[in-house]
Amino acid sequence: MTGTILVGVDGSANAGHAVDWAAAEAQLRGSRLLLLHASVIDDPYGERARTLDDSHGEDDGASAPEPGGAHLPVYLEHHRLRLLRAFPDLDVAVDAVRGNPATVLIERSRDAELTVVGARGRSIADRVRLGSVSRHVANHAHCPTVVVRDVPSGVGRAVVVGVDDSEHVHDVLSWGAFEARLRGAKLVVVHAWDVPMGDPYGTWMPSPEMTEGIEKQAHDFVADAVAALGDATTGLDVELRVERGHPVTVTSRLADTAALLVLGTHGRGWFEGVLAGSVTAAALHDAACPVVVVPRAA
C-alpha cells in the first residue's frame, strides 16, 4: 500500500464520478481509499439509519457522531458498499466531519497522496460552485488534486501534460509520466507558444526571424524538459506537441480524447492563485477529461 487517496463526497452525481475514478486509481496504485463528507451542518435527509447491504441486509444502526463530528450520510455508505462489491480487495474507509468542505479537504490533503473532487456542469452558476470548492482545493491542496467531471471510457487514451516555463515543470512531467506508465498509456507533452502582437498602428510587426527563433526555443524547452526526466520515460510512448496558439485552445483540444490532463498550479500562463482566464482555471471548468493539478513543491 502506497498511501491514501482522499475523495470529497456529497450527494451529487459528479461526486459519484469522482468516487468511481478514485476507486479505479486506488486499485491501480494499491492505495487505501477514504471517502470524506464535510459539511457545516448535518444533512437532515442524509443521516444514516441503516447500512443497506444487499448481501446481508443487516442493520448496523446509527451511532451518534463523535464530538465535533457529523452524522454519516446514507449515500456515503452506499458508495462504500458499492465499491466493495466492485473491488473486493480495495481498502475503503468512510468519514464525516463538520466544517467547510474546501477547508477540510485541504487540511486532510496533508496526509494524502492524491485528493479527488467532483466538478459541476458548464453553466455560469456551476462555474461559481466549482470555484467555491473544487477550484479552491485544486489551488491550495498539499498533494496533487484531480477534478473529475466524468470518467472517460475506452482504451488508448493518452495522458496529456501541459507544460510551461514554471520552476516545477519537472514535478508536473514526473507525475504525468508515472500515470502514463501506471495505465500503459501514451504520454503526450504539449507546450503552446506564440509571438508578441504587433503595433496596432503597423509601425512594428514581429519578423519571420523572430517567429522562427521563438518556435525553436519552444521546441528546445520541451525536448530538454522531457530529457531531464531520465529513466522515468524509459519504455514509454512519448509524443511532443509544440503548437502555436493560446494554451487554453491547445490543451482543450487534446483533452477531448485524453484519459487525464495534467497541469501545474503556478507559472507564466498557468494558474497563479485563482486567476480568471488562466489555463488551469479554464481546464477545470471546461475539460472533458479529469484534470490533475500538481502543486509547487514546498
Side-chain angles (χ1 to χ4, degrees):
M1 186 174 297
T2 59
T4 297
I5 293 180
L6 173 67
V7 192
V9 184
D10 58 20
S12 69
N14 292 95
H17 293 319
V19 168
D20 290 342
W21 188 93
E25 182 74 9
Q27 183 80 354
L28 284 174
R29 291 174 175 243
S31 300
R32 175 175 179 262
L33 185 65
L34 174 59
L35 310 183
L36 177 65
H37 170 78
S39 177
V40 293
I41 60 172
D42 284 329
D43 179 357
Y45 302 102
E47 295 179 10
R48 181 178 65 177
R50 64 179 62 241
T51 297
L52 303 178
D53 188 334
D54 294 339
S55 62
H56 298 89
E58 296 177 353
D59 182 353
D60 67 355
S63 58
E66 296 293 329
H71 290 286
L72 193 68
V74 66
Y75 51 74
L76 201 61
E77 184 67 3
H78 284 173
H79 280 310
R80 186 183 73 85
L81 294 173
R82 178 174 61 83
L83 293 179
L84 289 178
R85 288 191 289 269
F87 304 97
D89 298 327
L90 190 62
D91 182 1
V92 183
V94 296
D95 194 11
V97 298
R98 281 203 180 98
N100 177 277
T103 302
V104 170
L105 286 167
I106 291 167
E107 181 59 31
R108 290 289 191 95
S109 73
R110 294 181 184 275
D111 301 317
E113 63 175 318
L114 191 65
T115 299
V116 184
V117 290
R120 298 287 183 172
R122 292 183 170 86
S123 68
I124 296 298
D126 287 327
R127 184 185 292 270
V128 172
R129 286 197 292 269
L130 174 67
S132 65
V133 179
S134 300
R135 193 164 64 184
H136 193 66
V137 173
N139 189 30
H140 296 288
H142 301 279
C143 66
T145 299
V146 185
V147 179
V148 180
R149 175 168 287 104
D150 202 349
V151 181
S153 60
V155 296
R157 291 177 176 267
V159 173
V160 176
V161 183
V163 297
D164 62 7
D165 58 359
S166 66
E167 295 177 357
H168 76 317
V169 62
H170 184 80
D171 296 331
V172 177
L173 278 172
S174 296
W175 206 97
F178 174 82
E179 278 293 324
R181 187 177 301 283
L182 197 65
R183 298 162 178 273
K186 174 188 286 189
L187 176 65
V188 178
V189 181
V190 58
H191 177 65
W193 65 278
D194 211 338
V195 295
M197 295 182 62
D199 188 298
Y201 299 101
T203 58
W204 177 85
M205 294 293 290
S207 66
E209 292 77 17
M210 175 183 289
T211 301
E212 292 174 3
I214 294 174
E215 182 177 10
K216 182 180 185 304
Q217 289 178 351
H219 280 276
D220 290 344
F221 163 73
V222 175
D224 291 344
V226 172
L229 291 177
D231 294 340
T233 60
T234 301
L236 284 181
D237 181 5
V238 182
E239 179 182 353
L240 308 186
R241 299 285 294 268
V242 181
E243 301 187 14
R244 182 174 181 177
H246 194 281
V248 170
T249 303
V250 173
T251 56
S252 295
R253 183 175 65 253
L254 294 175
D256 287 343
T257 57
L260 289 173
L261 174 61
V262 184
L263 300 171
T265 53
H266 293 278
R268 189 167 63 204
W270 300 112
F271 196 11
E272 191 69 40
V274 184
L275 182 61
S278 71
V279 174
T280 303
L284 290 176
H285 182 260
D286 295 322
C289 69
V291 179
V292 184
V293 181
V294 180
R296 184 189 296 271

